[in-house]
Amino acid sequence: MTPTISRTRFSVLDRSRTRAGRPPGEALRDTVLLAREAERLGYHRFWVSEHHGVPGVAGSAPTVLAAAVAGATRTVRVGTGGVMLPNHRPLVVAEQFGVLESLFPGRIDMGLGRSVGFTDGVRRALGSEKDAADRFEEQLAELLGWFRGTSPTGAHARPAEGLDVPPFVLAMGEGAAVAARAGLPMVIGDLRDRDRMRRGIDRYRDLFRPSPWAAEPYVVVSGTVAVAGTPEAARRLLLPEAWSMAYSRTHGTFPPLPPAEEVGSRPMTAKERGFYEAGLTGHLAGTEDQVADALETLLKETEAQEVLVTTSTYDRTALLDSYRRLARIFTAVDA
């Protein structure tokens, strides 16, 4: 383990991907089981995500799932990657995280994003519009105000007011500037577009203004990291997600993950094949030595303080093995 890797935190974001032929509830239970294993392996945080109306993702209520994860673990930090503010009233979000922090003091993170529903139907059902993301900065300020007790309404968020729940901004595009102006830690992805990632990080650091939440910039880089005994086995981990992403780009919906061995025999149009091949590139994938070298390069390029791993695949045994092998890289212990 190099000094660069040893001073870097490693965390997990699990999106509760559903698997072909398996019930959605199983994906949520798998998330809780993965959190227990991540805690045992020494990962710093375990986050869950928010998606609505997506066949391939079971995680639609992140604060509820975070409560289940926190209740099943003891020491790992638990949070969201993230709660999408355009879908919610800031008061309700503050109350939810206030309850989480009260139940699990000192362990809760509040990752916040600006995405809206993927389809018109989902947006209508949520009561939001495509331009709702434009009000993210305003919503973020309102949310933080509920924790500080500064709402101009005269109302108070109970039990959130006065509690310290670390906020993070999920930054894609404009999100980097929002995080910087608010003085908050930033989570940025993905690893496949390294130039865009570096531009976002540079912008964030240039514009950062210290706040009560963070005295200096804090960068979390997120993306897929797949580790296996051979490069071929590591690449196999990537196949289900790459196929599902290609399908979503051409059909408008993200399906459950298929087994890797079925992917090669599935028919694809030239357009789908292009998206599929692109989805296999740019990730950190390989043996432990190969991934360690790639991590060293990534961390020197970005000077990030933390890596948030977002790997998903059909084969849960292979996924757990990947996380164990990655833990050996950053702990230098036979996990």
Side-chain angles (χ1 to χ4, degrees), residues 4 7-8 197-198 201-202 204-205 217-221 295-307:
T4 303
R7 61 174 175 261
T8 303
M197 175 184 281
R198 283 194 296 265
I201 292 171
D202 290 344
Y204 168 70
R205 290 188 173 125
Y218 188 90
V219 174
V220 183
V221 292
L295 282 169
E296 183 77 12
T297 299
L298 170 70
L299 294 171
K300 286 181 176 177
E301 287 179 352
T302 62
E303 298 181 10
Q305 288 95 336
E306 188 167 343
V307 177

Side-chain angles (χ1 to χ4, degrees), residues 35-81:
R36 288 175 174 165
E37 182 67 2
E39 177 178 73
R40 186 187 73 81
L41 293 171
Y43 287 89
H44 182 62
R45 308 179 205 277
F46 191 94
W47 283 5
V48 297
S49 65
E50 175 183 342
H51 295 271
H52 299 282
V54 181
V57 184
S60 56
T63 54
V64 176
L65 185 53
V69 168
T73 54
R74 296 183 301 107
T75 57
V76 69
R77 296 195 63 86
V78 177
T80 55

Side-chain angles (χ1 to χ4, degrees), residues 7-259:
R7 61 174 175 261
T8 303
R9 291 168 167 167
F10 284 80
S11 300
V12 176
L13 166 61
D14 190 66
R15 293 191 172 94
S16 303
R17 299 289 204 215
T18 60
R19 295 185 287 166
R22 306 276 188 161
E26 184 179 77
L28 299 173
R29 294 188 290 273
D30 284 342
T31 290
V32 176
L33 292 174
L34 179 59
R36 288 175 174 165
E37 182 67 2
E39 177 178 73
R40 186 187 73 81
L41 293 171
Y43 287 89
H44 182 62
R45 308 179 205 277
F46 191 94
W47 283 5
V48 297
S49 65
E50 175 183 342
H51 295 271
H52 299 282
V54 181
V57 184
S60 56
T63 54
V64 176
L65 185 53
V69 168
T73 54
R74 296 183 301 107
T75 57
V76 69
R77 296 195 63 86
V78 177
T80 55
V83 164
M84 299 301 154
L85 275 185
N87 298 334
H88 309 279
R89 294 300 305 165
L91 170 61
V92 175
V93 175
E95 290 171 337
Q96 290 173 346
F97 279 96
V99 169
L100 283 170
E101 176 63 21
S102 298
L103 291 171
F104 308 101
R107 291 181 57 204
I108 302 300
D109 299 323
M110 186 169 58
L112 306 163
R114 61 194 294 270
S115 295
V116 295
F118 185 63
T119 66
D120 289 338
V122 169
R123 286 192 292 271
R124 285 196 302 271
L126 291 170
S128 61
E129 302 295 336
K130 276 188 176 181
D131 63 356
D134 297 338
R135 298 188 293 276
F136 175 69
E137 191 163 11
E138 175 186 333
Q139 287 185 300
L140 178 63
E142 180 183 343
L143 173 60
L144 299 181
W146 288 115
F147 285 92
R148 290 291 185 247
T150 57
S151 171
T153 65
H156 298 272
R158 309 293 187 195
E161 188 173 309
L163 296 181
D164 184 14
V165 183
F168 295 73
V169 171
L170 276 61
M172 294 299 291
E174 179 60 23
V178 172
R181 288 192 291 266
L184 299 181
M186 177 185 71
V187 182
I188 188 166
D190 64 39
L191 301 179
R192 290 175 299 173
D193 193 342
R194 206 68 61 84
D195 288 340
R196 183 185 181 193
M197 175 184 281
R198 283 194 296 265
R199 289 195 299 271
I201 292 171
D202 290 344
R203 188 180 189 199
Y204 168 70
R205 290 188 173 125
D206 289 343
L207 297 176
F208 185 85
R209 299 191 303 220
S211 74
W213 302 98
E216 56 189 24
Y218 188 90
V219 174
V220 183
V221 292
S222 67
T224 294
V225 183
V227 196
T230 65
E232 294 75 21
R235 187 178 186 276
R236 194 176 307 122
L237 282 166
L238 306 176
L239 300 182
E241 178 89 352
W243 179 87
S244 294
M245 288 297 294
Y247 186 94
S248 73
R249 296 286 297 275
T250 52
H251 291 76
T253 185
F254 188 92
L257 299 174

Side-chain angles (χ1 to χ4, degrees), residues 245-332:
M245 288 297 294
Y247 186 94
S248 73
R249 296 286 297 275
T250 52
H251 291 76
T253 185
F254 188 92
L257 299 174
E261 57 269 21
E262 293 183 8
V263 170
S265 61
R266 295 197 170 191
M268 297 185 216
T269 65
K271 187 175 183 180
E272 286 172 327
R273 177 67 62 178
F275 285 134
Y276 171 70
E277 295 295 343
L280 293 172
T281 63
H283 307 293
L284 305 191
T287 64
E288 289 171 45
D289 286 343
Q290 289 172 327
V291 171
D293 289 343
L295 282 169
E296 183 77 12
T297 299
L298 170 70
L299 294 171
K300 286 181 176 177
E301 287 179 352
T302 62
E303 298 181 10
Q305 288 95 336
E306 188 167 343
V307 177
L308 182 66
V309 184
T310 63
T311 310
S312 298
T313 195
Y314 182 92
D315 187 337
R316 300 296 299 185
T317 300
L319 180 65
L320 288 171
D321 181 64
S322 177
Y323 276 113
R324 292 183 188 118
R325 289 175 181 273
L326 177 58
R328 287 204 289 262
I329 294 172
F330 67 82
T331 62

